[in-house]
Amino acid sequence: MSCQHTVDVGAYLFGSLDLKERAAFERHLGTCDCCQAEMLRLAPLPGLLGRLTLEDVENLDEIPACPPKPNHNQRRVLIACAAALVLLALVGGSFFLRQTSSQEAAPPSSSQPPTPTWAAKDAASGVNGEVSMVSKTWGTEMWFKLGEVRPGARCKVIVFDRQGQREIGGWWGSDHGADERIPGSTSFRVDQIERLEVSDESGLLVTLRP
């Protein structure tokens, strides 16, 4: 089984969809097992790529320029491919994302280890947030719920570990249902994470800690 919208997953994760496109894709994502599986397969990319420095990028082999003014589908495919090429070049081609099973796309079952959940409400912004974290071989899978975020905002989460390192753990639009779970990821293990900071264009929205 396949879905024509899986080409949008990479563009969604890297924040290249406009607000209308993001809202439409998020509605579709909630009902499509194929796109959910692809989302989890590509989920580690934003966090890992967030650790790249300018020097890392400058040292990559030269990649041919993209054709001028590609259409939306071409643009989304190129974004997903470029992200994969950057990651493979950084680690010498030795790291490959494995296909996630459809069972992983579902919430953790009772037979799995307890899932850490952090929650907080920011007094300044009024935003309340909650995150459930699942340990993976590649790092940590995160599922967010946020309330009282202004509509039309572009949100991101920055993950801080206990050694002072940071990664971008995901991007998303705020036009989603109150009970909708938002996916994110990081290469840090759960026990390495010190805090999560969720922000939008206006600044910090809420900080989540153990």
Side-chain angles (χ1 to χ4, degrees):
M1 181 179 179
S2 62
C3 174
Q4 63 178 355
H5 293 290
T6 55
V7 71
D8 295 333
V9 174
Y12 177 79
L13 285 172
F14 288 96
S16 70
L17 300 181
D18 61 33
L19 292 177
K20 184 176 180 181
E21 290 172 328
R22 291 182 68 85
F25 179 73
E26 286 166 354
R27 289 193 296 270
H28 169 76
L29 183 64
T31 61
C32 179
D33 291 341
C34 186
C35 286
Q36 289 175 13
E38 183 71 358
M39 174 75 77
L40 288 178
R41 188 176 75 85
L42 297 179
L45 280 172
L48 291 172
L49 292 174
R51 303 179 71 178
L52 285 173
T53 66
L54 181 59
E55 182 180 357
D56 292 326
V57 176
E58 289 175 342
N59 289 336
L60 295 178
D61 291 335
E62 187 173 345
I63 299 175
C66 297
K69 297 182 179 179
N71 61 37
H72 281 189
N73 284 339
Q74 290 174 325
R75 173 169 59 89
R76 295 167 189 171
V77 172
L78 287 171
I79 289 169
C81 291
L85 285 173
V86 169
L87 179 60
L88 291 175
L90 178 61
V91 299
S94 62
F95 179 82
F96 290 89
L97 294 174
R98 64 179 178 83
Q99 177 68 40
T100 304
S101 68
S102 59
Q103 290 181 339
E104 280 189 300
S109 68
S110 58
S111 63
Q112 293 179 310
T115 301
T117 300
W118 303 347
K121 181 174 182 178
D122 189 274
S125 68
V127 172
N128 58 78
E130 178 183 296
V131 61
S132 298
M133 292 175 286
V134 183
S135 293
K136 298 292 182 179
T137 56
W138 43 260
T140 303
E141 177 183 301
M142 301 177 291
W143 292 93
F144 294 88
K145 283 187 178 181
L146 296 172
E148 306 304 324
V149 181
R150 66 180 179 85
R154 290 185 67 226
C155 303
K156 69 177 178 181
V157 59
I158 300 180
V159 186
F160 295 82
D161 79 350
R162 299 184 186 281
Q163 305 301 317
Q165 300 181 93
R166 65 178 68 186
E167 294 181 352
I168 296 177
W171 290 85
W172 63 88
S174 64
D175 296 321
H176 54 77
D179 294 328
E180 190 167 352
R181 299 169 73 239
I182 303 161
S185 67
T186 175
S187 67
F188 300 143
R189 299 193 314 270
V190 173
D191 61 359
Q192 294 177 317
I193 299 174
E194 191 270 329
R195 70 185 188 278
L196 308 172
E197 292 187 357
V198 180
S199 60
D200 66 4
E201 299 94 330
S202 66
L204 181 66
L205 298 178
V206 65
T207 300
L208 301 168
R209 301 177 184 271

